[in-house]
């Protein structure tokens, strides 16, 4: 078990679509070591999600764990550690919303991205079981951000207004209340 290095924007691997994980290898020693390393790396870097390409492994595997459910985004559903293998996303409603996103592969930066807010996620568990879940709000954004990594896409690609791409310190100084403002405007349009 080991903490792996998270590669950063500019590394070509982050731009390569990852290949589906071969399901016959689920439960193998290599698989267990990879998942265990992803979990350790996620914790070591203090993230809430990590995709295998971020540790230079071009496979369609993502881990997500949201322990601290009270964040600047408001209350987020507690999401226990889970491994998502060969996941797909389906948008199940038209509503979108924007959040400030950060990424372990783009350290020190934040950017405002609009995404669908009601999605279904289909994936395989490490035990080889097909699962289907729904996610809403910020959690839906988290899934889309992580699964984008499997297609070689970074959140920076999805920032529509580059004036809302910021260093973390400037985010805190100038932009930190934008999510609250956005919630207000969302309420008005409901
Ligand atoms: Ni990321």
């Amino acid at each position: 078990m080991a903490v792996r290095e998270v590669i950063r924007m500019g590394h070509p691997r982050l731009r390569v679509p990852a290949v589906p994980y071969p399901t016959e290898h689920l439960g193998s020693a290599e698989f267990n070591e990879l998942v265990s390393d992803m979990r350790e790396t996620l914790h070591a870097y203090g993230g809430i999600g990590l995709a295998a390409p971020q540790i230079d492994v071009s496979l369609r595997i993502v881990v997500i764990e949201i322990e601290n459910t009270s964040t600047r985004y408001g209350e987020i559903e507690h999401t226990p550690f889970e491994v998502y293998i060969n996941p797909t996303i389906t948008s199940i409603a038209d509503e979108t919303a924007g959040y400030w996103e950060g990424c372990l592969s783009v350290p020190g930066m934040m950017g405002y991205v609009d995404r669908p807010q009601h999605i279904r996620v289909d994936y395989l568990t490490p035990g080889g079981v097909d699962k289907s879940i729904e996610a809403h709000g910020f959690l839906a954004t988290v899934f889309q951000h992580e699964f984008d990594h499997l297609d070689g896409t970074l959140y920076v690609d999805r920032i529509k207004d580059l004036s809302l791409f910021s260093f973390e310190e400037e985010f805190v100084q100038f932009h930190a209340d934008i999510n609250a403002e956005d919630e207000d405007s969302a309420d008005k349009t409901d």
Side-chain angles (χ1 to χ4, degrees), residues 85-90 120-124 131-133 147:
I85 299 153
N86 302 338
T88 60
I89 280 186
T90 309
R120 191 184 73 238
V121 175
D122 296 290
Y123 66 101
L124 210 54
K131 263 192 154 178
S132 186
I133 57 169
F147 296 172

Side-chain angles (χ1 to χ4, degrees), residues 67-163:
E67 282 282 323
N68 186 359
T69 55
S70 184
T71 74
R72 65 170 168 270
Y73 307 105
E75 291 295 315
I76 300 173
E77 223 173 312
H78 171 74
T79 307
F81 180 83
E82 177 74 297
V83 185
Y84 303 87
I85 299 153
N86 302 338
T88 60
I89 280 186
T90 309
S91 180
I92 55 176
D94 289 338
E95 186 193 345
T96 66
Y99 293 94
W100 283 85
E101 300 185 21
C103 181
L104 298 178
S105 294
V106 192
M109 305 294 293
M110 303 280 288
Y112 190 77
V113 181
D114 207 50
R115 298 182 189 266
Q117 291 301 288
H118 304 280
I119 60 167
R120 191 184 73 238
V121 175
D122 296 290
Y123 66 101
L124 210 54
T125 70
V129 177
D130 279 312
K131 263 192 154 178
S132 186
I133 57 169
E134 287 187 10
H136 308 277
F138 180 65
L139 188 57
T141 281
V142 172
F143 277 111
Q144 290 168 85
H145 174 119
E146 295 308 329
F147 296 172
D148 265 355
H149 280 297
L150 305 179
D151 295 323
T153 299
L154 299 177
Y155 80 89
V156 298
D157 306 344
R158 298 193 183 277
I159 301 172
K160 289 210 179 88
D161 177 356
L162 283 170
S163 71

